Amino acid sequence: MSGKKNILERAYRPLELCLIAAVCVIFLQVLAEVVSRYVFSFSIAWGQELAETLIVWVTFIGAAVAMLRAEHMAINILYNSLKNKALAKIFTLVANLTVFFFLVCSVYSGTELVRRTWEMKTVTMEIPAGVLYLAFPVGCALMLIVNLRDIFLNFRRSNG
């Protein structure tokens, strides 16, 4: 069981490095914007658009990495009150299946949004607007992979 978790953690490691790089780029861009505005009295035209796009990507890719590490906020009052282990496993399965359904719908809807906005261009960077919206279905697809692993591991634990 832990071997599968380690494989997924290794597969998601490049995402963590991309998140670190994106946060550094956001920081440097915002710093450059502040210096250019207050020292040189001009604004970097594409700076805000770049920062916004990277923040959206960091949000959704970061959500997938947080899900992999089980670092999302959870309210476990009901779960912790369950004394019956079989009931707790059923509760976990229902919760995971609910998340699965949400993520499948999100990937589908997000893909449709990207498809509809791909031909539009952003104002200053003039890249497809769909690049911004692509973060949502990609992040949800990455979370879906983690969710499927969790469902599999939960099912395997209850049968083995």
Side-chain angles (χ1 to χ4, degrees):
M1 283 186 281
S2 64
K4 291 192 185 332
K5 185 174 183 180
N6 290 336
I7 290 170
L8 204 52
E9 285 175 356
R10 283 193 303 265
Y12 277 50
R13 181 69 181 143
L15 294 176
E16 294 175 24
L17 299 175
C18 287
L19 289 170
I20 292 166
V23 169
C24 290
V25 168
I26 292 167
F27 172 77
L28 292 173
Q29 185 282 316
V30 170
L31 182 65
E33 181 69 25
V34 168
V35 169
S36 72
R37 278 189 188 188
Y38 294 104
V39 174
F40 302 111
S41 298
F42 76 92
S43 179
I44 302 170
W46 48 266
Q48 180 180 349
E49 208 169 90
L50 174 66
E52 288 171 354
T53 302
L54 287 175
I55 287 169
V56 170
W57 276 91
V58 165
T59 299
F60 288 104
I61 302 302
V65 171
M67 189 173 190
L68 176 70
R69 295 178 175 181
E71 292 177 346
H72 279 284
M73 183 178 74
I75 301 171
N76 295 324
I77 296 169
L78 180 60
Y79 179 80
N80 291 340
S81 69
L82 296 173
K83 302 298 180 201
N84 185 333
K85 287 188 178 192
L87 190 59
K89 287 180 183 181
I90 291 170
F91 186 85
T92 301
L93 180 61
V94 168
N96 281 332
L97 289 175
T98 303
V99 171
F100 173 81
F101 179 73
F102 172 80
L103 291 172
V104 167
C105 291
S106 296
V107 169
Y108 175 77
S109 299
T111 303
E112 284 299 305
L113 179 62
V114 170
R115 187 185 60 75
R116 286 190 305 235
T117 59
W118 197 261
E119 296 302 316
M120 298 176 195
K121 299 289 183 193
T122 61
V123 176
T124 56
M125 292 194 306
E126 296 184 13
I127 61 172
V131 168
L132 175 72
Y133 299 113
L134 186 61
F136 180 65
V138 168
C140 289
L142 291 167
M143 285 186 269
L144 188 58
I145 294 167
V146 176
N147 178 255
L148 287 170
R149 180 215 53 194
D150 293 344
I151 291 170
F152 173 77
L153 291 177
N154 185 51
F155 181 74
R156 191 167 174 187
R157 276 187 222 119
S158 62
N159 287 339

